[in-house]
């Protein structure tokens, strides 16, 4: 049954309709990515600051800057990161919604919230509107990031699940890139360029909203809600074959087990749920401790720090954005062939070396006061950042979302995945909030700080992360957790008992 090699575990054929569903759902990633990319740029625009944060603007004008302490301002960082706090709480609500009303409706709600967020922030006349807008964006991101990766993992045939799920991350990276390009142009449009930047967020929201009338509900979600007939019809439609009995029966039996669990969150706290939960949370925490968002949010500031002019710095940020997109494609091609672990481990080596060398160059050549780096050195730093982003983009970026969406049994899947989403949001918030202050205080040492975390996550992946390539999503307990050297000790009761324990 296709556990080895690249054989499908169950019958399936690619259908155009399926491909369309994947792409539409992945627009949820575009909403998330666009926001990651847009906020830093908008908060750097003087017109925006003058309108909503006049004191910050004043201080920016008169600030005594040193090379490592450019725009360090907590209030402004809070504007960027507040969205992640809203998303953190929203992901738990989304978990319940995904179970009760399904993945498709949760995706539709996410798109509506995102459109509302774009309207409120782009049309913002005071801080209250702006904050409400950010909260709508945040809830939209929380809903979308919970529902979309689950949707993709559930509709994909198991032998292509990695690639299909990574479409989400691919669209995240495209969103970041588009936002960087948009900011580049709108920053020159006075006085309302920032409004345009924020308004464009409605485009992926609208695309997702319209698309949500085209996509199907996942068979898992239908069967979970006892719509067996419909579940089977949809399964035939998305698999492109008539003989889906084996897969259907397997989802039904997973769902019967799941039905017995009345309190998924309580069940998650049981010993036997710990392995996927620990993996899900740590993958997301580590993903943020690679330091990626220090680059994604603040690349232009960082590149100015090393001595590039304003335009060159923005342009370099566009280049790293492009590298991010292209390298994610590499992950799509490789993840179901070489597996998850190889990608994660290789990238740790690549990211460790680049972060350490960047740290060393800055430590030696960039003092707080006085000259910035020479032009040649600044180019080397940009190149190293590109190699670093490459590593992230084919490993911890996509796999931080993929693995948690595919490793929980059905009874705890939405609840467990909510922990992954909220851990992502919490640590994105912390890094967004703290990075500029950390850069200001730790100076070049901040790169060694991230490099040290990369060693820790490498060891974690080496010893604790099981390979999930090609394993059908509802057979993870038997084929993965019960077989793993460390995690099997948590799983020594049989599946049935585990379900009973969670009632
Ligand atoms: C992460 C984001 C990050 C992005 C960069 C995503 O997987 O969750 O925090 O900004 O990748 O491409």
């Amino acid at each position: 049954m296709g556990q080895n090699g690249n054989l499908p575990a169950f019958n399936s054929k690619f259908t155009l309709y399926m491909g369309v569903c994947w792409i539409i759902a992945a627009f949820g990633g575009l909403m998330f990515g666009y926001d990651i990319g847009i906020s830093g740029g908008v908060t750097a625009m003087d017109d925006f600051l003058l309108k909503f944060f006049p004191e910050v603007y004043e201080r920016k004008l008169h600030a005594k800057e040193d090379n490592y302490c450019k725009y360090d301002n907590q209030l402004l960082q809070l504007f960027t990161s507040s969205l992640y706090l809203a998303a953190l709480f929203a992901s738990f609500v989304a978990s319940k919604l995904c179970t009760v009303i399904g993945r498709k409706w949760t995706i539709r709600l996410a798109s509506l919230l995102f459109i509302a967020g774009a309207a409120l922030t782009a049309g913002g006349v005071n801080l209250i509107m702006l904050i409400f807008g950010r909260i709508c964006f945040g809830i939209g991101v929380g809903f979308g990031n919970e529902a979309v990766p689950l949707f993709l993992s559930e509709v994909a045939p198991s032998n292509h699940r990695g690639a299909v799920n990574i479409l989400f991350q691919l669209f995240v990276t495209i969103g970041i890139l588009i936002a960087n390009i948009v900011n580049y142009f709108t920053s020159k449009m006075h006085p309302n360029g920032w409004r345009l930047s924020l308004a464009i967020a409605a485009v992926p929201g609208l695309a997702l909203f319209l698309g949500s009338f085209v996509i199907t509900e996942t068979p898992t979600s239908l069967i979970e809600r006892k719509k067996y007939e419909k579940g089977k019809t949809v399964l035939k439609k998305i698999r492109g074959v008539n003989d889906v009995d084996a897969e259907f029966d397997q989802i039904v039996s997973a769902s019967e087990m799941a039905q017995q669990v009345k309190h998924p969150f309580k069940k998650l706290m049981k010993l036997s749920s710990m392995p996927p939960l620990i993996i899900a949370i740590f993958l997301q925490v580590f993903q943020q401790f690679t330091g990626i968002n220090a680059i994604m949010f603040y690349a232009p500031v960082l590149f100015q720090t090393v001595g590039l002019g304003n335009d060159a710095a923005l342009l370099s940020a566009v280049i790293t954005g492009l590298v991010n997109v292209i390298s994610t494609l590499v992950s799509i091609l490789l993840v179901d062939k070489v597996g998850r672990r190889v990608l994660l481990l290789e990238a740790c080596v690549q990211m460790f070396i680049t972060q350490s060398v960047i740290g060393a160059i800055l430590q030696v050549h960039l003092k707080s006061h006085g000259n910035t780096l020479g032009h040649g050195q600044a180019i080397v730093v940009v190149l190293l950042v590109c190699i670093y982003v490459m590593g992230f983009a084919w490993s911890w970026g996509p796999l931080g979302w993929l693995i948690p969406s595919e490793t929980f049994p059905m009874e705890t899947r939405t609840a467990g995945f909510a922990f992954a989403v909220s851990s992502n949001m919490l640590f994105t918030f912390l890094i967004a909030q703290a990075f500029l202050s950390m850069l200001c205080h730790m100076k070049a040492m901040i790169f060694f700080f991230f490099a040290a975390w990369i060693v820790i996550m490498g060891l974690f992946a080496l010893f604790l992360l099981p390979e999930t390539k090609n394993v059908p999503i509802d057979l993870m307990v038997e084929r993965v957790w019960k077989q793993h050297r460390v995690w099997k000790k948590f799983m020594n009761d049989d599946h049935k008992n585990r379900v009973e324990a969670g009632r």
Side-chain angles (χ1 to χ4, degrees), residues 32 36 169 172-173 176 287-288 292-293 296 324 392 397 401 424 428:
F32 177 42
I36 293 172
Q169 173 74 7
V172 171
T173 61
I176 297 176
Q287 185 203 58
Q288 291 306 312
I292 187 67
N293 281 327
M296 289 299 136
N324 197 13
F392 174 88
W401 296 102
N424 178 283
T428 307

Side-chain angles (χ1 to χ4, degrees), residues 44-48 50 185-194:
M45 292 183 197
D46 289 349
D47 296 319
F48 175 83
L50 257 172
F185 290 106
T186 56
S187 64
K188 299 178 175 37
M189 295 179 190
H190 303 288
N192 285 323
W194 62 271

Side-chain angles (χ1 to χ4, degrees), residues 443-469:
K443 310 198 186 314
M445 291 305 285
I446 190 156
F447 292 95
F448 299 119
F449 168 81
F450 288 127
W453 276 104
I454 290 168
V455 174
I456 297 174
M457 64 190 79
L459 293 173
F460 178 86
L462 187 63
F463 293 112
L464 294 177
L465 191 83
E467 181 56 66
T468 46
K469 171 181 85 157

Side-chain angles (χ1 to χ4, degrees), residues 369-384:
H369 297 282
N371 290 343
T372 52
L373 296 185
H375 192 63
Q377 285 164 337
I379 301 282
V380 172
V381 170
V382 174
L383 273 178
L384 286 166

Side-chain angles (χ1 to χ4, degrees), residues 87-200:
L88 196 166
F89 294 109
S91 56
F92 289 106
V93 179
S95 142
K96 190 78 191 158
L97 287 176
C98 275
T99 310
V100 178
I101 62 171
R103 287 45 163 165
K104 181 166 107 168
W105 263 98
T106 311
I107 291 176
R108 189 171 297 161
L109 284 179
S111 68
L112 286 173
L113 282 155
F114 217 73
I115 296 170
L120 283 169
T121 51
V125 289
N126 53 35
L127 208 52
I128 306 277
M129 259 179 101
L130 210 60
I131 288 170
F132 266 111
R134 292 297 286 175
I135 292 175
C136 284
F137 266 140
I139 303 177
V141 166
F143 283 16
N145 284 21
E146 168 84 10
V148 171
L150 283 180
F151 175 94
L152 291 171
S153 281
E154 286 178 348
V155 295
S158 59
N159 57 328
H160 294 303
R161 190 178 55 243
V164 172
N165 181 285
I166 294 176
L167 286 175
F168 170 76
Q169 173 74 7
L170 180 70
F171 275 61
V172 171
T173 61
I174 295 174
I176 297 176
L177 178 66
I178 295 177
N180 282 335
I181 297 172
V182 167
N183 271 344
Y184 181 76
F185 290 106
T186 56
S187 64
K188 299 178 175 37
M189 295 179 190
H190 303 288
N192 285 323
W194 62 271
R195 288 191 193 275
L196 187 58
S197 285
L198 293 169
I200 292 176

